Structures are given as structure tokens and as C-alpha cells.
């Protein structure tokens, strides 16, 4: 699989606009793939999309709209919710009770799959995995990073969470309970990281910048 | 949570449960590593269409209560090398749980 | 005791490789197809069927393919089984996609 370079992107229609900022770093530079044949699975993807359109099962507009929605989802929505929870105890309570309704208060569409917010406290640090596949709160923090879906993380974080967190530069003291959530079913998990000391009086924008994707998965803690 | 789940659920938060030691072929959502292990019901999440049926194109009825079950890491793994207070919470459907007496 | 290869919690593995790649357009297209097929309006397949199809690929293929390769493989098999697509249609449409791609590359890469 190849990372692609947006600036060099050209040729056939992929059905969405590349002109906007995706809000995350691009992968390492890869040579233009356009002059190589499609892989078997790329051709399959194009063929399935074409056939679904030809049969009237999806319209080109629906496909394009969905691609735009996928591109529009990023950790920013989750960061905004967490920063609000840090400064508004009532909101935090509502978020702990019903993430989707709390998201709607901030005009964030969290979709229809139930999401559970779990709060890190002085006594408990939480981290999320899906050992069976790759369940992840995509509507609040975007598509998952590669490592979240890969064998090493899925196999190890449930059994040796402290060692795995250490690989991410995160040390949890022994007097804090480390709790791993295996998201195996109909729930998605979003961690509300603990607000760092010394951030009193910070603006919402400044607080949101502390709430990275990895802090909402639980492999990192906010770094002021 | 749906009224259906609240009234039909076999277990309540605080109940000791064990994940059944069963190894059927096919699609299941109870991870291998927790089978036969004992935990405590943390929360009844609600009733959900049965994934073991949905996976084969059927409608998933009747729906199943889903629980968040907390396990001590030391119960899950021989020689867990972290503090005894460490835990794992696994989402388990009711058909995979049995009461511990 | 039968343990399936996707059910990997607790198995030994190496360090977590933290490098990330930017999702390619075709990968997002797979994601978009899946979301449309499972939406309330269509309900052509479920995420459970997607997972079952991936699990049934067997350990060799599961590890060999990338994430979205597994997805489109499973989606396509499910659509064939349900009679939404035929194998013959797929073969022809894949040929056309490949030809279109070659034409587009020729047109813009002198």
C-alpha cells in the first residue's frame, strides 16, 4: 500500500476534493502511483463502486458526499468535547451519560453507534483496544491510525498495557489502576483524559490543542 | 437503555460472572483470552441484535443483553507483571456469561 | 481449543510500529462503500457480515493483505453471495477500471 501525494494527484476521478486541509500529517513521500497498473484490490474497489452506481444502489453524489464526510472527520470533534468537559462539569456529566446527545449540543454529529466516554482520574488511567478487529469512535476522532489496527497493538496492549504505553512514552505510576477496555461489541470508547495541572484559565482553543487523538485512545496523556 | 434490556437481563451490576468455556466455529465476539475467566458485571449496556446471527445475514432477533464486565488482569493472564489493581473491561453478550455461585 | 487467527488478544508480538500512512483515495472509497451499504436507507449488509468475511479469509491471507484490501475482499464476496453482483460483472468492471486507469495515466503523464 502506498501513501499518496496530494499535490501530484491527477488523472481519474476519485470522487472527492483534494483542495482542503485534511488536518493531519501526510505519510512519507511516495513516487506517483498513477503510472502503475491498479492493484487487484484497487481494481476491485473501482469495479464495485462502478457496479453499485450502474445498478442504481448508490448514486455518484452519495459516494462523493460520503467521501467528503470521511475526510471531514478528525480528532478535532473529540478534542472540542473533552476541552468543554474540562471547563463545564455539567457538560462532562452529560457526556458521561450520553456522548451522542452531548456531541449534538456542540453541533457535532457522533452518528448512531453507542459511544461510551470514560474519564481518567487520579486513581485510574484508561486505554482502548479492539482485540478482535478495529472498533474505534470514527465520527469523533476520524479514521484510526495504522498501529491501532495492527497485530502488535491488538495482541499486546491487553496483556502488557504498561509496556505498550511506555513505547508511546507514557508511564503510569504503579499506584494508579491501569484499565484496558476491549471494544469488542456494539460500543465505541472515547477517553476523557485528565486535565493537566497548571492549565487553569486557559482558553478553550489552547485546551483543545492538548487533547490529541492519542490522549483520547489512552496511549498518551496531555502535555502542557 | 431499552426497557426490554432492563427487564430481561439475567445479571445486574456487581454480579460475579464467568465467560463460558466454549469454542464453537464461526463468528463470535467473546475474545478467546477471557473464556473461562471470572469477572464482575460493571454495567448493563442495553440489548443489541445478536452479532452471531447478523454475521450470517439474519436479523439478529431475539436481541441480547450486552454487559461491560471487569476482570482483574491477574485473573486473565498467568504471570501478569503489572500491579494487582490493574483491570480489563470487556464487552460480553449475555449468551457467553454464566453465574458464579 | 480452537482459536481463530483474528482473535489475537494476549498473543506475543513485536513492538508497536508507530509510523502512520495517509489513507489513499481508494482506501477511503472502500470505507465509503461500506458505510453506504450498511446505512439505514440501504441495509444491504452489516458490519458483522464484513467481519465474518474477513475472519473466513484464513490466517495466510489475513496477514498478507492490508486493512482495506481485507475490507473490499470481504465486501465483494458478501455482495456476490447476496446476488447483488455477479462474478462475471466484476471481471468486466475490473477490466474496464484498469483500462480507464491506463488511459488517464497516459493522458497526463507524457
Amino acid at each position: 500500500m502506498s501513501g499518496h501525494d496530494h499535490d501530484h494527484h491527477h488523472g481519474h476521478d476519485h470522487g472527492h476534493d483534494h483542495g482542503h486541509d485534511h488536518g493531519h500529517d501526510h505519510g512519507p513521500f511516495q513516487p506517483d502511483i498513477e503510472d502503475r497498473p491498479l492493484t487487484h484490490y484497487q481494481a476491485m474497489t473501482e469495479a464495485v463502486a462502478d457496479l453499485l452506481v450502474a445498478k442504481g444502489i448508490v448514486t455518484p453524489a452519495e459516494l462523493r458526499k460520503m467521501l467528503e464526510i470521511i475526510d471531514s472527520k478528525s480528532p478535532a470533534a473529540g478534542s472540542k468535547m473533552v476541552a468543554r468537559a474540562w471547563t463545564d462539569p455539567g457538560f462532562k456529566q452529560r457526556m458521561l451519560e450520553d456522548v451522542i446527545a452531548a456531541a449534538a449540543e456542540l453541533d457535532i454529529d457522533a452518528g448512531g453507534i453507542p459511544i461510551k466516554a470514560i474519564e481518567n482520574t487520579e486513581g485510574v488511567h484508561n486505554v482502548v483496544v479492539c482485540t478482535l478487529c478495529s472498533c474505534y469512535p470514527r465520527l469523533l476522532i476520524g479514521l484510526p491510525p495504522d498501529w491501532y489496527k495492527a497485530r502488535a497493538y491488538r495482541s499486546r496492549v491487553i496483556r502488557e498495557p504498561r509496556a505498550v504505553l511506555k513505547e508511546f512514552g507514557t508511564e503510569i505510576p504503579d499506584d494508579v489502576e491501569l484499565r484496558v477496555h476491549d471494544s469488542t461489541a456494539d460500543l465505541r470508547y472515547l477517553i476523557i483524559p485528565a486535565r493537566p495541572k497548571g492549565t487553569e484559565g486557559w482558553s478553550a482553543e489552547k485546551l483543545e490543542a492538548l487533547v490529541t487523538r492519542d490522549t483520547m485512545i489512552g496511549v498518551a496523556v496531555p502535555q502542557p | 437503555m431499552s426497557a426490554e434490556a432492563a427487564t430481561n437481563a439475567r445479571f445486574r451490576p456487581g454480579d460475579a460472572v464467568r465467560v463460558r468455556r466454549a469454542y464453537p466455529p464461526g463468528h463470535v465476539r467473546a475474545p478467546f483470552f477471557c473464556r473461562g475467566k471470572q469477572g464482575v458485571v460493571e454495567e448493563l449496556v442495553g440489548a443489541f441484535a445478536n452479532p452471531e446471527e447478523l454475521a450470517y445475514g439474519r436479523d439478529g432477533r431475539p436481541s441480547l443483553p450486552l454487559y461491560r464486565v471487569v476482570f482483574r488482569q491477574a485473573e486473565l493472564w498467568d504471570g501478569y507483571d503489572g500491579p494487582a489493581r490493574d483491570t480489563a473491561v470487556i464487552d460480553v453478550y449475555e449468551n457467553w456469561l454464566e453465574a458464579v455461585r | 481449543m480452537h482459536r481463530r487467527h483474528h482473535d489475537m488478544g494476549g498473543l506475543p508480538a513485536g513492538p508497536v510500529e508507530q509510523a502512520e500512512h495517509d489513507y489513499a483515495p481508494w482506501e477511503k472509497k472502500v470505507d465509503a462503500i461500506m458505510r453506504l451499504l450498511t446505512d439505514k436507507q440501504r441495509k444491504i449488509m452489516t458490519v458483522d457480515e464484513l467481519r465474518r468475511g474477513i475472519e473466513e479469509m484464513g490466517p495466510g491471507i489475513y496477514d498478507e493483505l492490508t486493512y482495506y484490501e481485507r475490507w473490499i475482499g470481504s465486501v465483494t464476496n458478501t455482495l456476490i453471495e447476496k446476488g447483488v453482483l455477479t462474478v462475471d460483472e466484476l471481471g468486466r468492471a475490473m477490466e474496464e477500471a484498469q483500462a480507464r486507469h491506463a488511459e488517464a495515466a497516459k493522458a497526463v503523464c507524457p
Side-chain angles (χ1 to χ4, degrees):
Chain A
M1 179 176 347
S2 161
H4 74 285
D5 183 326
H6 288 200
D7 293 326
H8 289 200
H9 181 76
H10 51 218
H12 54 276
D13 175 25
H14 283 299
H16 74 301
D17 176 22
H18 283 254
H20 57 275
D21 181 8
H22 288 208
H24 58 104
D25 292 334
H26 290 185
F29 176 80
Q30 297 278 335
D32 209 325
I33 58 167
E34 307 288 327
D35 51 357
R36 274 184 260 138
L38 298 175
T39 65
H40 177 66
Y41 289 93
Q42 286 169 345
M44 195 185 296
T45 302
E46 298 303 321
V48 169
D50 291 347
L51 289 168
L52 292 175
V53 168
K55 288 167 185 279
I57 293 169
V58 306
T59 66
E62 285 173 327
L63 197 51
R64 194 162 47 245
K65 175 92 186 297
M66 188 57 82
L67 286 162
E68 282 169 3
I69 290 172
I70 290 169
D71 268 342
S72 74
K73 300 299 179 187
S74 79
S79 307
K80 192 173 172 188
M81 293 187 74
V82 170
R84 170 67 75 90
W86 281 352
T87 52
D88 179 345
F91 180 83
K92 182 167 83 181
Q93 197 50 43
R94 296 195 292 282
M95 185 172 167
L96 289 169
E97 281 161 15
D98 185 342
V99 172
I100 294 174
E105 288 183 36
L106 304 183
D107 289 325
I108 295 166
D109 174 13
I113 300 174
I115 304 172
K116 176 105 191 151
I118 305 274
E119 187 186 7
N120 284 344
T121 61
E122 280 188 8
V124 185
H125 180 88
N126 298 277
V127 59
V128 184
V129 64
C130 173
T131 63
L132 296 177
C133 47
S134 59
C135 299
Y136 190 79
R138 290 158 182 245
L139 294 181
L140 292 180
I141 57 177
L143 295 176
D146 292 333
W147 53 260
Y148 185 85
K149 306 175 297 186
R151 175 171 295 276
Y153 184 77
R154 286 168 51 193
S155 300
R156 289 180 54 224
V157 78
I158 187 74
R159 181 173 198 154
E160 37 173 342
R162 287 173 186 268
V164 170
L165 261 57
K166 220 171 268 180
E167 290 174 26
F168 283 89
T170 304
E171 295 228 28
I172 304 300
D174 276 0
D175 61 353
V176 172
E177 173 187 339
L178 186 49
R179 177 170 279 209
V180 187
H181 299 264
D182 192 353
S183 177
T184 53
D186 285 288
L187 269 187
R188 303 292 173 266
Y189 287 92
L190 183 79
I191 304 304
I192 303 178
R195 180 174 179 173
K197 293 195 170 66
T199 59
E200 296 76 15
W202 283 28
S203 67
E205 197 179 28
K206 227 173 142 191
L207 289 173
E208 284 168 26
L210 298 178
V211 188
T212 61
R213 176 196 70 197
D214 289 359
T215 68
M216 293 182 279
I217 299 173
V219 295
V221 293
Q223 303 290 337
Chain B
M1 185 197 319
S2 70
E4 182 200 5
T7 51
N8 292 342
R10 270 180 73 198
F11 304 110
R12 294 284 175 270
D15 285 357
V17 290
R18 185 179 292 109
V19 183
R20 291 175 46 238
R21 204 185 279 274
Y23 303 91
H27 178 80
V28 301
R29 297 299 287 177
F32 182 92
F33 69 82
C34 70
R35 304 206 200 146
K37 305 296 184 182
Q38 184 177 329
V40 174
V41 171
E42 171 99 350
E43 182 188 357
L44 167 60
V45 182
F48 293 88
N50 181 351
E52 297 173 7
E53 288 290 302
L54 289 176
Y56 296 89
R58 297 188 283 268
D59 69 3
R61 303 288 153 203
S63 59
L64 287 171
L66 174 70
Y67 303 88
R68 299 175 58 240
V69 181
V70 58
F71 300 82
R72 295 222 162 263
Q73 286 282 26
E75 160 79 4
L76 292 175
W77 314 109
D78 286 337
Y80 178 73
D81 69 357
R85 57 168 55 84
D86 287 358
T87 55
V89 176
I90 306 168
D91 302 340
V92 189
Y93 294 93
E94 189 174 89
N95 62 325
W96 277 92
L97 295 176
E98 58 194 12
V100 174
R101 285 176 196 90
Chain C
M1 288 185 294
H2 181 64
R3 178 176 195 146
R4 303 184 77 200
H5 59 278
H6 71 279
D7 187 355
M8 57 184 71
L11 293 177
V16 176
E17 174 56 66
Q18 291 176 40
E20 297 174 30
H21 90 291
D22 193 23
Y23 287 102
W26 80 270
E27 295 178 295
K28 292 178 188 174
K29 203 168 199 171
V30 174
D31 210 296
I33 289 168
M34 183 60 198
R35 293 192 203 199
L36 289 167
L37 291 173
T38 55
D39 70 11
K40 281 204 174 74
Q41 178 189 337
R42 272 159 280 252
K43 286 192 176 168
I44 287 173
M45 64 180 286
T46 62
V47 68
D48 308 87
E49 289 172 300
L50 172 77
R51 291 178 184 139
R52 171 200 154 205
I54 291 170
E55 292 162 10
E56 288 180 355
M57 286 175 177
I61 299 284
Y62 187 95
D63 288 330
E64 191 181 308
L65 299 189
T66 65
Y67 184 74
Y68 280 111
E69 287 175 342
R70 294 197 290 260
W71 272 42
I72 193 61
S74 176
V75 166
T76 305
N77 281 338
T78 305
L79 294 177
I80 295 169
E81 280 172 12
K82 286 175 182 282
V84 177
L85 307 178
T86 70
V87 172
D88 183 65
E89 286 171 335
L90 268 169
R92 291 171 196 277
M94 285 172 72
E95 244 181 309
E96 279 168 30
Q98 202 64 269
R100 199 170 60 221
H101 175 79
E103 276 306 309
K106 231 189 307 181
V108 295
C109 304

